[in-house]
Amino acid sequence: MVGQHLVGQHLVRIELVVNARRRRRRRTVRGALLRAVGRVAPTTRVLLFAAALAGFGLLLLSITPSAAAEPERVWTMPFFGLVIAFAIAEGAALHVEIRKESHSLSLSAIPLMFGLLYLSPALLILAYIGGATPALLWIRKSDPIKAIWNSCLFIAETALAGLIVRSMLGDALPQTFGEWLVPFGAVLVAELLSLISVPIVIMAVDTKFRPGLFGAVGHSQVLAALAGAFTVTAVSASVGDPLMLVFALVPVVGLGVLLRSSGNLSQRFEDLQQLHSFTRALTNERGARTLDTGLVHLVEIMRTRTAGLLTMPTADDDDTTVRVLKDEAFVDLDPAPIARLLLSVLDPGPVTHLDERDARPEARELLRLLDAQSLLAARVLGEVEGEGVLFVTDRLGMRRDFTPDELRLFVSMSGTLSARLSNDHLVEQLEVQAQHDSLTGLPNRLSFEIALTSFLGHAEESGVVVMVDLDRFKEVNDSLGHETGDRLLIEVADRLRSATRSTDMVARFGGDEFALLLTGRGTSSPEEMAGRVSAIHEMLTTKVELSGINFEVGASMGVVQWPVQGSDSAGLLRRADTAMYQAKRNQLGVVWYTPELDADAPRRIDLYLSARAALENEELSIQLQPKVSARDGRITGAEALVRWTHPAHGPISPNEFVPLLTHAGLIGKLTRFVIERAAAAASMLQAAGIDVPIAVNLTARDLLDPALPDDVATILAAHRLPPGALQIEITEDAMVVDFDTSIMVLTRLRELGLRVAIDDFGTGYSSLQHLHRLPIDQLKIDRSFILRLSSDDSSAAIVRASVSLARDLGLCTVAEGVEDAEALRVVSTLGCDEIQGYHVSRPLASADFLGWVYRWDAAAFLDEVAHGPVRGRGARRTGRLQAV
């Protein structure tokens, strides 16, 4: 059956699943079920599911007519004949592997069809177990778990098919076309059960919900229908004369031979392509990356669990290294015992293949150390680089043994990798010169960055990066010449070498700039590390005698800690460089990096480039923060707040990326993006019966764009929204650039039917005198005043005056930044019309905002306004939707 074979390649990956990275799952019923399943061992999950299938089959047998009695037939198929037939069908199954996919063709459908017609379902199940199970275990050397799975699945399939046949045909043989459709349909239904069961057990093993696994059901059913049609033809012909089955099997055997030949040819062509891609991948790498890339491709091409390279540059075991990629991650193993055992079992030929059947103790111990069942190894490298062994373990897939073609492919890839690594060794000798400063002999910037990246790759490492710049080096060069300056640089290099440890690194970046990598090894505390840095600075300030003159050159040093203040070499160097310039500008000697040093200039460049791409690819999003009436608790609207989560820097404040987009001339595009998303959110809310306006913030440049009102009208029309579905918010200082043009744009927006609000009111300085001329409807009092209400009487006075001014002008007032019950009580007492802030709700995604609206309890809110936090905020979260 098709489905029985599909699960094989997944069952052999159980070890991979155990070690796979656990991902965070959503707290849903499905996630809880998967977590519960994940606590059970993968093998146990398969056995439990197999037992469930067997139990299902036994249940069907109990209700099947004549399930255990062999019916009388004109021509009776012997029981042992079916046993032999199943053994031959499963033992001679054709397997073709192309691109890591296993394709199987089995003739088991033919004895299954005979058994359905001539034997009871119970005897048919016994015939399969008696014939197919030994064939799977001893001929095809299948995993025992897979054999158990196949047997249990066959019990369920056969019981289901037998129930259909016996219920519809009884003990009679089919005679007409319609009657032959019964066993044909029974086989298809049984196959469907198999195709559905296989993805379920795979998901149970992987503990991941993967609906894509069901995608092959349709194609497999087509293949099952073709196989079923052939089987019906063969069986119906053999009813009259059993020898007719021989003629039916001839084209099947011929087709199998053709498929095997085609599959082998395709596989050889695929191997050539893989070898070509393997060679090209290595060509683009260098050094350690060559090896890592080679091991990654080796695992993929050979379809193995592990790939590794053992190198022995000298006879000393201390120089022996082993690089192992296992279960998609590089692991640390002790190279000494692996080298001793591996060399003792290598054959003199080009390739060595051993498995658990090898009786040698060294072979068994080696497999134990590598946690493997089989191993394939070949010698690599040469006399200059030392001896090396490339190896892979545990072939994945339906077939556990390596074919002769795969052995030849492995030898070819090992030779390619060996040649590439040998070439790298020669290139490294040239790179040593390219990575060192010719004057001082110190590593240069490139070498320093490589070493720093290597240190950052070890989670247990810590330390500091120090940038050093000599303070008066230019004076030495100008007054005494470059020769003396070079002598000074050599002296400084020698001093830095003497002041550092063997685990540290000193480099010259160029000119009078040096860099230090001080590791935390042997340093017990941050204070001790700070003492080391201070000692180095003091050493550099000691007078230097050059050409009979004593110079006190001095140095400015910038220090950054890792991994606390960075985890990438470029970022650490930028921060250390900024701290060094801070020390040089202010003559501070040593400055330790802090975020306050404005080390974000390179970060802003990165954000600038990323922000453009994020906007163009629509990677930004909006959140909605609600506003409610202080008088009756109604939901009066929401403000659309643009959000951006950078893949490397995390959440980025709009105060940071909006100016970058403004500088790039993209603020208009950002505004239209936010308006479009706000309109979509308003449309979604109105479809749910919730009519609340959504406010969008405009910048100063937006108010200078005469085309903005027309674009807003187009967006509203596209979403079939009334103008009142959107609002506009502007800041006071947004009007300063061109007051007349801003008035014109705002007036046109208001004529469309959009309400306009002054945001952050009270922080501006120039538009107050023009307030009566502005086409506005609302004043939003800045949150800075709201936050200081309880501690600053002047803030309360400003809020009171703002409310009074708004009332005189016929405007509504909104208190921003209401974050606690006390602030809510005060702003309500001062007469603010609407409330916005964390105490009402944080900004929410559109879908979450809809749920929040349905939970909003206006009565509890008004009770809190009137009497303080008697029931607290939690009381409002369980209420029902009020009128909006």
Side-chain angles (χ1 to χ4, degrees):
M1 307 292 281
V2 177
Q4 295 171 342
H5 302 288
L6 293 177
V7 75
Q9 57 185 318
H10 294 274
L11 293 179
V12 297
R13 297 177 183 265
I14 288 176
E15 298 88 353
L16 300 181
V17 176
V18 174
N19 298 321
R21 181 177 60 186
R22 297 183 178 272
R23 296 179 179 174
R24 184 178 181 182
R25 301 182 178 92
R26 295 165 50 190
R27 296 181 178 273
T28 61
V29 175
R30 186 184 71 195
L33 177 61
L34 291 177
R35 286 193 296 273
V37 172
R39 298 188 183 100
V40 182
T43 303
T44 306
R45 297 175 214 158
V46 175
L47 293 177
L48 289 175
F49 191 74
L53 285 174
F56 173 73
L58 295 176
L59 177 63
L60 294 180
L61 286 177
S62 66
I63 63 175
T64 301
S66 304
E70 181 178 356
E72 294 183 358
R73 293 296 184 224
V74 176
W75 176 74
T76 303
M77 171 66 71
F79 172 82
F80 292 103
L82 272 184
V83 172
I84 297 173
F86 277 121
I88 294 174
E90 292 293 346
L94 174 64
H95 301 290
V96 180
E97 291 196 21
I98 300 176
R99 297 184 180 180
K100 299 192 289 188
E101 292 295 332
S102 296
H103 304 269
S104 299
L105 178 63
S106 172
L107 299 179
S108 59
I110 295 179
L112 172 63
M113 182 75 73
F114 273 114
L116 288 174
L117 298 178
Y118 291 103
L119 289 182
S120 64
L123 287 178
L124 177 58
I125 291 172
L126 292 178
Y128 176 87
I129 296 175
T133 303
L136 289 172
L137 292 175
W138 293 308
I139 298 178
R140 287 168 49 183
K141 295 181 174 52
S142 296
D143 188 89
I145 303 299
K146 179 189 171 184
I148 295 174
W149 161 262
N150 279 352
S151 298
C152 293
L153 182 57
F154 187 86
I155 292 174
E157 293 176 338
T158 305
L160 180 58
L163 176 62
I164 296 173
V165 172
R166 290 305 175 91
S167 298
M168 300 186 69
L169 297 180
D171 293 340
L173 286 172
Q175 300 294 330
T176 66
F177 174 81
E179 290 177 344
W180 278 106
L181 288 178
V182 175
F184 174 76
V187 172
L188 289 186
V189 172
E191 181 64 30
L192 182 61
L193 174 63
S194 173
L195 294 172
I196 294 176
S197 300
V198 169
I200 294 176
V201 75
I202 292 173
M203 290 187 289
V205 171
D206 292 345
T207 63
K208 297 177 184 177
F209 183 71
R210 298 163 59 186
L213 292 174
F214 294 96
V217 171
H219 296 87
S220 298
Q221 277 292 87
V222 173
L223 294 177
L226 295 175
F230 166 77
T231 302
V232 168
T233 304
V235 174
S236 61
S238 64
V239 168
D241 185 356
L243 293 178
M244 292 297 295
L245 186 62
V246 175
F247 292 99
L249 292 178
V250 170
V252 175
V253 174
L255 179 62
V257 173
L258 290 177
L259 286 176
R260 183 183 296 274
S261 301
S262 175
N264 291 338
L265 182 61
S266 299
Q267 188 61 50
R268 290 184 180 181
F269 180 75
E270 179 69 18
D271 290 343
L272 289 176
Q273 288 184 317
Q274 296 281 17
L275 182 60
H276 177 65
S277 64
F278 178 76
T279 305
R280 291 191 61 183
L282 296 183
T283 303
N284 298 326
E285 302 294 354
R286 182 69 58 81
R289 292 191 56 173
T290 303
L291 175 58
D292 290 352
T293 300
L295 295 180
V296 169
H297 281 75
L298 191 62
V299 164
E300 294 178 353
I301 296 173
M302 295 298 297
R303 297 185 285 276
T304 59
R305 179 186 178 193
T306 302
L309 177 67
L310 175 75
T311 58
M312 293 156 286
T314 67
D316 190 349
D317 284 343
D318 292 339
D319 293 330
T320 300
T321 62
V322 61
R323 184 69 166 164
V324 177
L325 175 66
K326 180 179 181 180
D327 297 347
E328 302 180 0
F330 288 97
V331 297
D332 293 325
L333 298 177
D334 186 2
I338 294 178
R340 175 178 56 83
L341 295 170
L342 192 53
L343 292 177
S344 65
V345 299
L346 283 179
D347 295 333
V351 64
T352 298
H353 185 204
L354 56 90
D355 54 29
E356 293 177 318
R357 294 171 293 184
D358 197 307
R360 291 174 293 178
E362 297 86 356
R364 293 181 176 272
E365 178 64 16
L366 177 61
L367 292 176
R368 187 191 66 81
L369 287 178
L370 296 176
D371 189 24
Q373 297 178 353
S374 61
L375 178 139
L376 197 64
R379 298 179 184 271
V380 295
L381 303 179
E383 297 179 357
V384 177
E385 301 80 17
E387 188 175 13
V389 179
L390 183 69
F391 60 90
V392 294
T393 69
D394 293 346
R395 186 189 189 282
L396 303 174
M398 297 281 295
R399 186 181 62 250
R400 306 303 296 270
D401 295 330
F402 294 95
T403 66
D405 287 340
E406 288 173 335
L407 296 181
R408 287 190 290 270
L409 179 62
F410 177 72
V411 172
S412 299
M413 288 191 294
S414 63
T416 301
L417 181 60
S418 177
R420 190 69 184 89
L421 292 175
S422 299
N423 182 63
D424 283 353
H425 178 79
L426 297 176
V427 173
E428 284 174 2
Q429 297 179 358
L430 300 176
E431 289 181 341
V432 168
Q433 302 175 7
Q435 295 180 7
H436 284 75
D437 175 48
S438 59
L439 176 65
T440 63
L442 293 174
N444 58 16
R445 185 186 189 99
L446 175 62
S447 182
F448 186 87
E449 291 179 350
I450 293 174
L452 179 57
T453 301
S454 176
F455 273 99
L456 294 175
H458 296 79
E460 69 277 5
E461 294 288 353
S462 63
V464 297
V465 174
V466 185
M467 294 295 295
V468 180
D469 189 84
L470 303 183
D471 288 340
R472 286 173 287 277
F473 176 73
K474 189 175 184 299
E475 299 176 10
V476 175
N477 254 353
D478 293 344
S479 59
L480 300 179
H482 292 285
E483 182 180 351
T484 304
D486 290 345
R487 290 168 52 196
L488 174 60
L489 293 174
I490 294 173
E491 174 64 23
V492 170
D494 291 340
R495 291 190 179 190
L496 291 175
R497 284 194 189 96
S498 63
T500 53
R501 302 170 179 173
S502 60
T503 56
D504 303 330
M505 185 176 186
V506 183
R508 181 190 174 203
F509 277 16
D512 59 344
E513 191 174 56
F514 296 82
L516 306 177
L517 173 60
L518 307 181
T519 66
R521 300 176 187 175
T523 302
S524 59
S525 65
E527 291 76 14
E528 185 177 348
M529 182 65 76
R532 290 185 60 195
V533 173
S534 298
I536 293 173
H537 180 263
E538 183 177 353
M539 177 268 300
L540 290 178
T541 58
T542 304
K543 292 182 179 180
V544 180
E545 182 179 348
L546 296 172
S547 301
I549 303 175
N550 290 325
F551 286 91
E552 187 176 321
V553 179
S556 298
M557 299 170 58
V559 189
V560 62
Q561 304 176 65
W562 56 276
V564 179
Q565 294 176 322
S567 58
D568 64 288
S569 59
L572 288 171
L573 290 174
R574 285 196 301 266
R575 293 175 177 89
D577 201 54
T578 301
M580 182 269 290
Y581 278 115
Q582 181 75 6
K584 199 171 191 67
R585 278 196 304 266
N586 300 318
Q587 300 181 356
L588 298 175
V590 179
V591 170
W592 289 70
Y593 168 81
T594 61
E596 290 74 19
L597 293 180
D598 191 25
D600 287 336
R603 178 175 180 269
R604 283 197 297 271
I605 296 176
D606 184 28
L607 291 181
Y608 170 76
L609 298 175
S610 301
R612 292 178 63 99
L615 178 59
E616 292 172 358
N617 298 329
E618 297 190 354
E619 297 174 2
L620 306 180
S621 62
I622 66 166
Q623 292 183 342
L624 305 179
Q625 186 173 34
K627 297 181 286 186
V628 298
S629 171
R631 293 187 177 88
D632 55 19
R634 289 184 307 109
I635 302 172
T636 58
E639 180 180 358
L641 303 172
V642 63
R643 292 292 183 261
W644 178 32
T645 300
H646 192 277
H649 304 295
I652 308 299
S653 169
N655 294 332
E656 189 171 8
F657 70 80
V658 170
L660 296 177
L661 292 174
T662 302
H663 179 72
L666 298 174
I667 194 62
K669 186 173 182 179
L670 174 64
T671 299
R672 284 158 176 79
F673 169 82
V674 175
I675 294 174
E676 172 67 32
R677 291 299 174 89
S683 179
M684 180 268 294
L685 293 175
Q686 292 198 2
I690 300 170
D691 185 12
V692 293
I694 297 179
V696 177
N697 291 277
L698 299 185
T699 66
R701 293 198 179 188
D702 292 323
L703 296 180
L704 301 179
D705 184 0
L708 179 63
D710 294 335
D711 292 342
V712 172
T714 300
I715 293 174
L716 287 171
H719 289 275
R720 299 180 180 179
L721 292 173
L726 295 181
Q727 292 183 350
I728 297 299
E729 294 186 5
I730 60 171
T731 59
E732 292 182 74
D733 53 6
M735 311 288 292
V736 176
V737 180
D738 187 339
F739 186 80
D740 293 334
T741 302
S742 299
I743 288 289
M744 183 268 292
V745 172
L746 286 178
T747 301
R748 290 184 58 195
L749 288 171
R750 202 158 182 264
E751 289 173 350
L752 288 175
L754 280 71
R755 301 183 66 190
V756 180
I758 293 289
D759 198 9
D760 301 337
F761 183 75
T763 60
Y765 52 87
S766 60
S767 63
L768 188 59
Q769 58 180 325
H770 304 295
L771 191 60
H772 66 285
R773 296 177 52 194
L774 296 177
I776 59 175
D777 305 279
Q778 194 177 78
L779 293 182
K780 299 187 69 175
I781 302 172
D782 187 68
R783 66 192 311 272
S784 62
F785 301 115
I786 306 301
L787 295 175
R788 297 196 301 264
L789 282 177
S790 60
S791 59
D792 185 5
D793 293 338
S794 61
S795 294
I798 292 174
V799 173
R800 186 181 297 107
S802 299
V803 172
S804 177
L805 176 63
R807 286 178 177 173
D808 291 341
L809 295 175
L811 305 177
C812 171
T813 55
V814 179
E816 293 185 291
V818 177
E819 297 187 355
D820 53 47
E822 179 62 22
L824 173 62
R825 184 188 63 80
V826 173
V827 296
S828 301
T829 302
L830 293 176
C832 290
D833 300 307
E834 298 180 7
I835 308 298
Q836 180 180 351
Y838 283 3
H839 193 64
V840 175
S841 173
R842 291 178 175 269
L844 303 167
S846 299
D848 297 332
F849 179 83
L850 179 62
W852 177 89
V853 170
Y854 283 107
R855 295 193 303 272
W856 173 252
D857 191 336
F861 173 78
L862 293 177
D863 184 64
E864 189 173 6
V865 170
H867 305 99
V870 176
R871 288 184 288 172
R873 297 176 63 191
R876 300 201 304 273
R877 296 186 179 184
T878 58
R880 56 187 178 84
L881 177 66
Q882 305 295 314
V884 293

